[in-house]
Amino acid sequence: MSRLATVLYIAPSPVLSGVAVSNIVRFEQKGLISLKNLIGIAMALGYTSELRHIFGQPKYSTMDELLQIRKNTGKKKAHRI
């Protein structure tokens, strides 16, 4: 997508999302954005269902499952020679 097309595509989002243009430019150029601003832009552009999908289902249903997952994902150290 060309820069002009990107500007035309994102131009309404500062008004609708409340995200400053400088934050949008920083996101475009460096890929850096706060979660709050990302959600604001996504909502302004109509991507709410995609956000729900990303943050949808947890990988566990009880605290015991979470504790077991954390226990099983321990890092193993390599032995030095």
Side-chain angles (χ1 to χ4, degrees):
M1 185 181 293
S2 72
R3 175 71 180 144
L4 180 58
T6 303
V7 170
L8 293 175
Y9 181 68
I10 294 185
S13 65
V15 174
L16 297 174
S17 67
V19 177
V21 174
S22 61
N23 287 328
I24 294 172
V25 170
R26 183 176 53 145
F27 180 50
E28 288 177 333
Q29 293 176 351
K30 298 182 180 179
L32 302 173
I33 193 166
S34 71
L35 181 59
K36 178 184 173 185
N37 288 343
L38 179 63
I39 290 171
I41 291 169
M43 290 175 66
L45 295 174
Y47 288 101
T48 53
S49 63
E50 286 80 0
L51 286 176
R52 282 191 208 110
H53 179 70
I54 290 171
F55 298 109
Q57 300 296 322
K59 295 182 180 184
Y60 57 89
S61 58
T62 66
M63 283 303 290
D64 290 333
E65 287 180 20
L66 173 62
L67 293 173
Q68 188 64 37
I69 290 169
R70 286 186 177 173
K71 182 180 176 183
N72 291 340
T73 58
K75 294 183 178 179
K76 304 204 187 255
K77 293 184 179 181
H79 295 285
R80 293 187 181 175
I81 299 176

